[in-house]
């Protein structure tokens, strides 16, 4: 899940991106309307958190331009303008939600999660074989045992499970899980996959994370070609 924070006040932008990142989202920040629009053209975001008082143009104008595009992410306005008229205008231009500053981060996070759930009908609990992932409580179990994952490990696993059986390239994984400030090598994915394997696969006979040569990784229940089935009828 990738979020764009459009906010000119650095203190708030930092606070938001730190909080959202530790909640497991990939976060980019734009400090004005023009750079926000550039990013929206170049990147697919799941959600935009939009301030209205921007230095170069009004946030509502930014929203109007975003809404003119064919594919449009969810937009949550986060503004100090607290009048009923302001809210109405925000919704008219196409906001999906409106939160007034000052705000409590827990409320913002709850609304972000609600928005992201309503945007795409996504199951809150993913299951592949005996591996389960609870997207809300952010818990992972295998064969009923709790597994502790770091935020990035969780995000990669969620992405793999949502795309069960589909090979995902390292680039796709990096773009989905890291934000644009990450300009390192896609080798980082291999490091995280190694950690994930040691946590969710190592002590189980069925290895879910599979390497797809020349591409990347996929997650699925492995085919049981090497398993000896009990032969009861002989
Ligand atoms: Ca502002």
């Amino acid at each position: 899940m990738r979020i764009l924070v459009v906010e000119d006040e650095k203190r708030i932008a930092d606070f938001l991106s730190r909080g959202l990142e530790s909640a497991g989202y990939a976060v980019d920040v734009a400090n004005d309307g023009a750079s926000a629009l550039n990013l929206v053209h170049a990147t697919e975001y799941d959600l935009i958190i939009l301030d209205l008082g921007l230095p170069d143009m009004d946030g509502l104008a930014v929203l109007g331009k975003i809404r003119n595009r064919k594919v449009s992410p969810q937009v949550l306005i986060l503004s100090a303008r607290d009048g009923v008229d302001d809210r109405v205008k925000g919704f008219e231009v196409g906001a999906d939600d409106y939160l007034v500053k000052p705000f409590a981060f827990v409320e913002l996070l709850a609304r972000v999660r609600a928005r992201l759930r309503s945007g795409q009908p996504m199951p809150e609990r993913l299951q592949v074989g005996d591996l389960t992932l609870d997207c809300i409580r952010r818990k992972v179990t295998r064969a009923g045992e709790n597994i502790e994952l770091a935020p990035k490990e969780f995000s990669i696993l969620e992405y793999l499970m949502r795309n069960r059986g589909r090979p995902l390239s390292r680039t796709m994984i990096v773009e989905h899980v890291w934000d644009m400030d990450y300009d390192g090598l896609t080798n980082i994915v291999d490091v995280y996959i190694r950690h994930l394997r040691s946590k969710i696969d190592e002590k189980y006979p069925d290895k879910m994370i599979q390497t797809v040569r020349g591409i990347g990784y996929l997650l699925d229940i492995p085919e049981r070609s090497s398993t000896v089935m009990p032969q009861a009828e002989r």
Side-chain angles (χ1 to χ4, degrees):
M1 289 285 150
R2 192 155 172 174
I3 297 177
L4 175 63
V5 171
V6 186
E7 172 65 68
D8 59 320
E9 209 173 312
K10 194 176 178 310
R11 189 179 52 86
I12 299 178
D14 288 349
F15 172 68
L16 284 173
S17 63
R18 264 203 312 274
L20 291 167
E21 270 165 16
S22 55
Y25 298 105
V27 184
D28 294 334
V29 174
N31 305 116
D32 55 48
S35 44
L37 289 170
N38 282 338
L39 284 171
V40 170
H41 284 293
T43 317
E44 234 179 81
Y45 291 102
D46 301 290
L47 178 102
I48 299 177
I49 296 175
L50 181 65
D51 176 29
L52 294 183
L54 297 170
D56 57 341
M57 60 173 97
D58 193 273
L60 290 176
V62 175
L63 178 57
K65 290 206 160 90
I66 292 170
R67 283 295 179 247
N68 279 336
R69 293 163 50 80
K70 254 203 217 107
V71 188
S72 192
Q74 299 266 325
V75 175
L76 187 158
I77 291 179
L78 182 59
S79 174
R81 298 179 198 166
D82 59 355
V84 177
D85 287 357
D86 296 307
R87 291 173 189 243
V88 170
K89 223 184 287 167
F91 286 115
E92 272 174 359
V93 182
D96 299 288
D97 201 355
Y98 197 110
L99 185 62
V100 173
K101 291 176 188 168
F103 60 97
F105 185 75
V106 282
E107 182 177 6
L108 176 86
L109 188 59
R111 289 183 185 220
V112 163
R113 287 188 170 142
R115 265 1 294 171
L116 291 173
R117 276 204 299 282
S118 68
Q120 303 138 285
M122 291 225 262
E124 295 174 1
R125 189 167 171 277
L126 302 169
Q127 176 143 26
V128 178
D130 59 359
L131 177 67
T132 69
L133 180 145
D134 184 327
C135 308
I136 307 299
R137 289 172 196 83
R138 302 189 70 77
K139 282 180 87 171
V140 173
T141 67
R142 177 132 195 211
E145 272 180 67
N146 271 330
I147 297 171
E148 292 294 326
L149 296 182
K152 287 269 187 281
E153 295 167 355
F154 185 93
S155 298
I156 293 173
L157 184 64
E158 181 181 359
Y159 187 45
L160 286 167
M161 288 179 78
R162 282 195 194 285
N163 290 283
R164 175 185 179 167
R166 180 177 164 214
L168 301 173
S169 71
R170 290 172 180 81
T171 309
M172 287 165 79
I173 295 172
V174 164
E175 284 182 352
H176 191 86
V177 174
W178 277 268
D179 58 48
M180 66 176 178
D181 290 335
Y182 179 76
D183 55 0
L185 299 169
T186 53
N187 292 353
I188 185 96
V189 172
D190 301 328
V191 175
Y192 276 87
I193 290 284
R194 217 178 305 137
H195 294 161
L196 264 179
R197 277 182 162 144
S198 77
K199 292 182 180 179
I200 69 158
D201 269 342
E202 206 164 73
K203 37 178 212 167
Y204 304 94
D206 287 342
K207 311 299 181 199
M208 301 259 191
I209 299 176
Q210 298 161 41
T211 303
V212 186
R213 274 192 58 193
I215 299 179
Y217 300 97
L218 70 77
L219 185 143
D220 208 343
I221 302 170
E223 286 170 30
R224 293 172 166 268
S225 54
S226 60
T227 309
V228 180
M229 299 296 283
Q231 295 185 314
E233 284 179 349
R234 279 202 195 172

